[in-house]
Amino acid sequence: MYRQNNETGERILNSRVAHIHARSEGGPRWAPEMAEEENRSEDNLLLLCVEHASEVDDTPEHFPAETLREWKQAQLDEYAEIQRAWPLDDAEAAEASAASFDPHQVGVATAGATTVVAAARCVGLMVATGSQQRRVPREAAQAWQALRERTTRSMPVYDADGERLQVEPSMMETKPYREALEAALSENVAALEPLAANLVAELHAVAAADKQLAPWCNWVEAQAGKLIAAAGRWPGRPPIQDDEVWPEAVAELQRASQALSAAWRGDEASMPPEREVMTEPEETAQQRAAREHRELLDLTGPWVRVTHRPYNAELYTRLVDGMHLVAGLPEIPSLLGVGLESTARHASRVARNADDETYRFLIQQAAELRPLSCAVALLRHLMLTAKSSERDTLQEEARMEAMRLLLAETWKVPDVWVDNKAHARRLLSMTAEFSSIAAVRNTLVTAIDHDAGLLPVMLDGMAQWSEQRDRETWQYSGASCQINELPEWFPTEQVAAVIRRQLPHLEPADEFASERHSDDPNRLASQVLWIAAGNDNEW
């Protein structure tokens, strides 16, 4: 009566109720003498598979009414024989067993049989229901994909090689399609959860009747949970073609159920897999360092919030050592609380109440830090903390040390650019404040003239960082850099000339058009050329 789709596991009706004598004149095996009531009675009906139902009507000369009645009688005889295979009801079976066996053992066996069969029935119902429900999110995903295809067709955009790019619809256009898909998946889960609850109840009864079957019961229960998880999942946002998670969950649940039935019958059965033990993923050295740094900032938070806490040399040293860990972090909102500036501020506040001699030593020690960004950040915050404490002499000493370091740096060494990549713009802006815009511009011109190979690292240093967030959940998903504008002290024309010499085929491009370049140096260089041509790269 039914067949199963091998790809989706869905159960599909494969039978039709056919008429032996046609219902209307001209039809196969039409019997004009037959009354309408007789024509519609069950004696004139026959259950056939879809394939033979069509064949019987298409070639009635090969299938006369007498043959079809013989088929019908054979179906009825087979059914009657099946019914006779178990002639006893429960009361009769109990009576017979009472005279032959231990009633308790028979009761356990009877209960086990009932619950195992019930559990198998629950599994079948879960699979059939889930497979039927799966078509709804499939249709929702297809509708979403159709929207994307329409959007791409309506807005032809090509990459540098002339290949057409996928254009995503707006968030407002996407929202109803996303909600429809998520609602369909939620409905799938809602339809399966009560069926799973019934299954779990039957499994507990099986284990109570025969404790040796408990491992198989646990296996079936675990797979039922995975089936529900698969029912609530569709790969990708925007959606992609359905993956193998759902059919694999169906197949594994059926395998576990069949193994339980086989184990109950005493047949050879697949052994349940070892139960998964949930363990926390092992922390990497980098993750441990990041966690410990956050914990250190939390620990020193009181020194930032109040002004009376005494100087703690051990905490100060730990904070200074931690500055090297965060020196390379870009200054984006998600990292400001743990970045270089925040760490330097915590260190200066821990040092606030050190005596003058100690504070002066800390200033001299800070000036020896490397990279330059660490030294200048710490000196700047020691200066600000001294200012807030009205310790003018110490404030001036910290300022002079920072100025000395900035004015002494020639920016001719690639390592200086690399080590200070995330803070180069800030450092050079501070240098311009201490000297002049023209002096900084001359310094950079001298550096690039001295070594044109500085171009890639110089562009990295000029990049402005921003963070990406998922437009649906607003969760942080990464950081990117681009050059939207260049400061007045940057020698734009001279650097653009170097770019044209080194990359003669590179075209100017704004922030969006430059994304065709997969490597950062070419992408950032095209943005500098765009700005050098007098274009505004900001929206």
Side-chain angles (χ1 to χ4, degrees):
M1 290 183 67
Y2 290 86
R3 65 181 178 84
Q4 189 175 40
N5 187 312
N6 292 332
E7 294 183 359
T8 65
E10 183 177 5
R11 194 174 68 157
I12 301 171
L13 184 65
N14 191 42
S15 55
R16 298 289 186 272
V17 177
H19 284 77
I20 297 174
H21 294 286
R23 292 188 61 186
S24 58
E25 186 175 356
R29 295 171 298 278
W30 164 250
E33 73 282 358
M34 181 177 284
E36 181 178 353
E37 183 177 349
E38 185 182 0
N39 183 277
R40 299 178 61 180
S41 70
E42 66 174 281
D43 290 338
N44 193 42
L45 301 178
L46 174 65
L47 187 64
L48 293 173
C49 68
V50 173
E51 180 181 356
H52 286 106
S54 299
E55 185 179 354
V56 163
D57 283 349
D58 291 342
T59 57
E61 65 276 9
H62 297 151
F63 301 97
E66 293 74 15
T67 299
L68 300 186
R69 290 194 184 94
E70 291 175 3
W71 288 7
K72 180 180 180 70
Q73 188 58 48
Q75 289 180 350
L76 295 172
D77 292 344
E78 182 182 11
Y79 175 75
E81 183 177 350
I82 292 172
Q83 293 300 304
R84 288 193 298 271
W86 184 254
L88 300 180
D89 59 21
D90 289 346
E92 292 168 333
E95 182 180 358
S97 65
S100 306
F101 309 102
D102 178 3
H104 175 72
Q105 294 299 325
V106 172
V108 169
T110 302
T114 302
T115 52
V116 168
V117 171
R121 186 179 298 113
C122 289
V123 167
L125 187 56
M126 280 190 71
V127 170
T129 301
S131 297
Q132 292 170 358
Q133 292 278 104
R134 191 69 176 172
R135 65 177 178 80
V136 182
R138 183 181 301 112
E139 291 170 356
Q142 290 170 348
W144 191 343
Q145 285 290 11
L147 169 68
R148 299 180 70 222
E149 292 170 4
R150 290 195 301 271
T151 303
T152 297
R153 287 196 300 270
S154 66
M155 300 177 64
V157 179
Y158 305 91
D159 64 13
D161 297 321
E163 298 291 340
R164 192 161 190 164
L165 298 176
Q166 174 74 46
V167 179
E168 293 295 339
S170 69
M171 187 182 300
M172 289 300 295
E173 291 175 298
T174 299
K175 182 178 179 183
Y177 292 88
R178 174 177 55 80
E179 291 177 346
L181 176 57
E182 292 175 351
L185 294 172
S186 297
E187 289 174 4
N188 282 13
V189 173
L192 290 179
E193 283 180 336
L195 302 181
N198 290 337
L199 171 60
V200 171
E202 296 295 346
L203 293 172
H204 286 188
V206 173
D210 188 346
K211 63 181 181 180
Q212 293 182 349
L213 297 178
W216 284 270
C217 293
N218 293 336
W219 184 14
V220 175
E221 183 176 347
Q223 291 308 133
K226 292 181 179 179
L227 186 75
I228 291 178
R233 175 189 179 280
W234 192 277
R237 292 294 186 278
I240 58 175
Q241 186 176 358
D242 198 4
D243 55 19
E244 296 300 315
V245 172
W246 168 256
E248 287 175 359
V250 168
E252 191 63 18
L253 176 58
Q254 291 174 326
R255 190 167 82 91
S257 177
Q258 291 164 2
L260 171 60
S261 299
W264 168 74
R265 293 191 304 268
D267 298 341
E268 183 178 353
S270 300
M271 294 301 296
E274 294 185 7
R275 300 194 71 175
E276 297 180 7
V277 179
M278 300 302 293
T279 58
E280 290 293 329
E282 186 175 352
E283 189 178 46
T284 66
Q286 186 177 15
Q287 290 171 333
R288 182 176 66 256
R291 173 181 55 78
E292 291 175 349
H293 187 70
R294 287 181 180 274
E295 292 172 353
L296 177 60
L297 293 179
D298 289 340
L299 180 63
T300 56
W303 276 263
V304 177
R305 292 188 283 270
V306 299
T307 61
H308 62 272
R309 297 183 73 95
Y311 166 59
N312 186 312
E314 188 267 335
L315 285 180
Y316 179 85
T317 300
R318 289 176 60 189
L319 286 164
V320 172
D321 291 342
M323 293 178 67
H324 298 86
L325 175 68
V326 297
L329 295 180
E331 295 181 343
I332 58 176
S334 297
L335 299 177
L336 291 180
V338 296
L340 182 61
E341 288 294 315
S342 179
T343 306
R345 182 174 66 256
H346 279 245
S348 69
R349 299 298 174 83
V350 169
R352 177 198 299 271
N353 291 318
D355 60 65
D356 287 359
E357 183 179 354
T358 301
Y359 204 93
R360 184 170 288 108
F361 172 75
L362 298 180
I363 292 173
Q364 295 168 355
Q365 191 181 55
E368 298 174 0
L369 288 176
R370 290 298 178 270
L372 179 64
S373 55
C374 288
V376 172
L378 184 54
L379 287 168
R380 175 172 171 271
H381 283 283
L382 287 171
M383 178 189 74
L384 294 174
T385 299
K387 179 180 179 181
S388 67
S389 303
E390 298 182 349
R391 302 165 80 174
D392 297 341
T393 301
L394 294 174
Q395 173 191 344
E396 181 61 17
E397 289 180 14
R399 191 186 75 86
M400 293 298 294
E401 284 293 336
M403 182 174 68
R404 178 182 65 80
L405 292 176
L406 290 170
L407 296 178
E409 182 54 63
T410 64
W411 296 92
K412 291 181 179 180
V413 181
D415 286 349
V416 173
W417 288 98
V418 173
D419 294 343
N420 297 284
K421 172 182 175 179
H423 309 280
R425 287 179 70 116
R426 176 195 291 270
L427 294 172
L428 288 164
S429 293
M430 292 175 64
T431 305
E433 293 176 5
F434 284 132
S435 57
S436 67
I437 291 172
V440 173
R441 186 184 299 117
N442 290 335
T443 296
L444 297 183
V445 168
T446 301
I448 197 74
D449 286 345
H450 175 263
D451 182 6
L454 288 175
L455 179 63
V457 291
M458 181 179 287
L459 294 177
D460 277 344
M462 290 301 102
Q464 298 152 288
W465 287 87
S466 61
E467 63 183 25
Q468 280 85 49
R469 292 184 175 272
D470 185 275
R471 61 178 184 172
E472 305 293 346
T473 64
W474 206 240
Q475 293 295 313
Y476 174 78
S477 60
S480 65
C481 62
Q482 58 277 325
I483 300 177
N484 288 326
E485 54 83 22
L486 287 167
E488 191 177 357
W489 44 257
F490 187 75
T492 305
E493 291 301 327
Q494 290 86 343
V495 172
V498 175
I499 293 172
R500 295 188 193 100
R501 287 197 301 271
Q502 293 188 7
L503 305 167
H505 302 296
L506 189 67
E507 295 293 332
D510 64 10
E511 174 186 347
F512 301 101
S514 62
E515 291 299 324
R516 73 184 66 179
H517 301 295
S518 59
D519 60 316
D520 282 345
N522 281 1
R523 183 171 58 83
L524 297 175
S526 68
Q527 293 171 3
V528 171
L529 292 179
W530 178 265
I531 297 171
N535 299 299
D536 186 356
N537 208 14
E538 293 187 293
W539 283 60

